[in-house]
Amino acid sequence: MKLSSLPVLLFGTSRALGFGFGFGLQNPIVVTKASTSTASSIDTAPSYRDELVSLHKSLVEIPSISNDENEVGNFLVDYLTTRGFVVQLEFLPPSTNTSEPTKPRFNVVAWPGPDTHPSPKVLVTSHIDTVPPFIAYSQNSTSLDADTVIAGRGSVDAKASVAAQIVALQDLLDSGRIAGAEDSVMLLYVVGEETQGDGMRFFSDTKGKMDPPLDIQAAIFGEPTEGRLVCGHKGIFGCDITVTGRAGHSGYPSLGKSANEVLMRGMVRVLDTDLGSSEEFGNTTINVGLIEGGVAANVIPEKATARIAGRVAIGPESDGGEIVAERLKEVLLGVDEEAFAFDCKYGYGVVKCDCDVEGFETTTVNYGTDVHNLEGNHTRYLYGPGTIFVAHGPDEAIKLGDMEQAVEDYKKLILHALES
């Protein structure tokens, strides 16, 4: 049965839970703006400290592992609408992999009200899904200062960026620094970044259907970059590799062909080969994430498989991943030209970002982001608080001072993008 878009108008705290919505762009949500001013109990603290901590805490306390982002999305709908933002939901096609398939998945698109037909110049975006497992929110101190450490799943990747971006835009609005250009900035919080990037890809495919169609001039992506502006990141590709040998008695190895042995020799050859390198991004690296093979210790293995992921250090962005994957295949076929079979997802090559903004330290990173998944000719900025070295791990945590600095830096980036 073909599903079609069904307009849904929500107000205030109405929830997008458990209904048989179609997917696609939905009608905006509009409410009257409410005050968000919060007095700080610490004289040296920024005026928005309490609001930033509260928003970040609420986001981290809600489990939002990829494919189960509905509750945190609904929280953002309520949070933004009560602060005068127009909110539009983008419902993704239903997935058979969700833990609660009755709950729809959606991106949250928002902009300062009351205009329901925006023409934004700048997109500010991050993702609201996390990797498993859920880790509860915690603080190392009951009193707040710049050195307060806040922990929990998503506290860095990427709910710190989400909170800092929203507070930064709200502060610019409240201070009047973007007076007359309020509807030039749009917020976008997507699902699925940690898996296949389906949220951003869906937004990219459907942004032309908005009224009027979006013509973004710059996009600011939030990811943990240690407070540095990223000049680019490595690309990625993946391959499932199957080796076919010949089974036999392990006492007579000459009568068979060990698929495990062929696979291991091939993997070592790959790891010892330069598959592509560049001065800016270093070497292409291969992670052999999964190996399986054989049926018993005394049987020559007939089948062996490996699943690998490559971080691509060469371009072009469009097909750098395919170039490296083809080189990998050549290496393995040089070990045994008959035994190997490949199923590769070619991904993409290195992703370049704009990092020529005064006042920022710069860097490159090795991980993938949604930058590639948003198509268009816009300028691309990648920045966020926290370090990738604790993201996805059991000790994911961030200092409050780093989030507060990110608020200031996101304000700088938004203003820079508006003026460019």
Side-chain angles (χ1 to χ4, degrees):
M1 179 178 73
K2 182 178 179 180
L3 295 175
S4 59
S5 297
L6 176 65
V8 177
L9 185 63
L10 304 178
F11 294 92
T13 58
S14 298
R15 315 295 279 175
L17 292 175
F19 300 104
F21 293 144
F23 54 89
L25 294 172
Q26 306 299 317
N27 283 348
I29 304 166
V30 191
V31 301
T32 304
K33 182 175 180 180
S35 172
T36 62
S37 61
T38 304
S40 173
S41 60
I42 303 175
D43 291 339
T44 58
S47 60
Y48 50 74
R49 170 173 286 176
D50 290 345
E51 185 67 21
L52 176 63
V53 172
S54 176
L55 173 56
H56 183 248
K57 182 175 187 287
S58 296
L59 292 169
V60 176
E61 284 183 331
I62 302 172
S64 57
I65 294 168
S66 301
N67 291 323
D68 193 13
E69 309 98 338
N70 183 280
E71 186 178 353
V72 75
N74 274 300
F75 167 78
L76 275 179
V77 170
D78 291 345
Y79 183 91
L80 291 167
T81 55
T82 58
R83 285 156 178 81
F85 285 81
V86 182
V87 178
Q88 185 163 279
L89 307 186
E90 270 201 330
F91 288 93
L92 275 64
S95 170
T96 59
N97 297 323
T98 56
S99 60
E100 296 183 76
T102 59
K103 292 185 178 181
R105 300 175 66 222
F106 54 87
N107 297 328
V108 178
V109 186
W111 58 92
D115 189 357
T116 58
H117 300 283
S119 299
K121 179 180 179 181
V122 178
L123 182 71
V124 181
T125 181
S126 189
H127 62 93
I128 53 176
D129 66 315
T130 71
V131 297
F134 174 70
I135 300 173
Y137 179 94
S138 65
Q139 292 181 12
N140 72 338
S141 174
T142 56
S143 61
L144 296 176
D145 58 44
D147 291 325
T148 298
V149 177
I150 301 171
R153 178 59 76 228
S155 58
V156 174
D157 189 9
K159 293 176 180 180
S161 289
V162 175
Q165 289 174 343
I166 293 172
V167 171
L169 179 55
Q170 187 67 64
D171 198 61
L172 288 173
L173 293 168
D174 292 344
S175 66
R177 296 184 68 185
I178 56 174
E182 291 90 346
D183 62 353
S184 295
V185 183
M186 174 176 281
L187 300 174
L188 168 66
Y189 297 112
V190 300
V191 298
E193 189 274 344
E194 295 289 4
T195 51
Q196 300 297 320
D198 55 345
M200 183 61 78
R201 287 188 284 107
F202 190 75
F203 175 80
S204 182
D205 291 342
T206 59
K207 66 182 186 295
K209 298 179 182 179
M210 292 191 72
D211 181 18
L214 293 186
D215 183 22
I216 300 297
Q217 302 301 305
I220 301 169
F221 296 84
E223 290 283 358
T225 71
E226 300 182 0
R228 298 172 182 171
L229 200 54
V230 172
C231 298
H233 66 74
K234 285 185 175 181
I236 191 170
F237 78 98
C239 286
D240 289 337
I241 300 167
T242 301
V243 177
T244 301
R246 185 170 62 252
H249 195 290
S250 62
Y252 301 89
S254 62
L255 299 180
K257 182 177 182 178
S258 171
N260 284 356
E261 181 180 337
V262 173
L263 179 61
M264 288 188 291
R265 292 182 185 276
M267 290 297 98
V268 170
R269 182 80 62 85
V270 165
L271 295 173
D272 288 341
T273 301
D274 181 1
L275 298 174
S277 57
S278 61
E279 182 176 352
E280 186 175 7
F281 294 96
N283 296 325
T284 294
T285 58
I286 301 294
N287 181 61
V288 184
L290 181 66
I291 291 181
E292 295 179 338
V295 295
N298 60 348
V299 178
I300 299 171
E302 182 180 18
K303 291 285 186 181
T305 61
R307 176 165 292 180
I308 67 166
R311 301 292 176 169
V312 180
I314 63 170
E317 182 176 337
S318 59
D319 55 6
E322 182 176 0
I323 292 171
V324 173
E326 292 302 319
R327 292 175 181 176
L328 177 140
K329 291 179 183 180
E330 291 178 8
V331 171
L332 293 177
L333 293 176
V335 173
D336 191 308
E337 62 182 10
E338 298 177 348
F340 286 95
F342 309 94
D343 179 15
C344 294
K345 295 178 175 61
Y346 292 125
Y348 50 88
V350 294
V351 176
K352 297 293 186 72
C353 299
D354 192 293
C355 59
D356 187 15
V357 181
E358 186 178 353
F360 285 87
E361 295 184 14
T362 62
T363 189
T364 59
V365 296
N366 294 343
Y367 54 83
T369 72
D370 264 335
V371 174
H372 170 77
N373 293 326
L374 180 59
E375 296 183 358
N377 296 321
H378 49 274
T379 303
R380 308 187 294 190
Y381 303 98
L382 178 58
Y383 167 91
T387 173
I388 196 67
F389 298 135
V390 297
H392 298 197
D395 301 317
E396 184 172 358
I398 190 169
K399 284 188 175 183
L400 176 55
D402 291 338
M403 282 202 296
E404 291 173 344
Q405 182 61 50
V407 172
E408 298 303 317
D409 287 344
Y410 278 127
K411 288 193 290 186
K412 292 177 186 177
L413 287 173
I414 292 169
L415 292 172
H416 175 83
L418 287 172
E419 294 165 0
S420 298

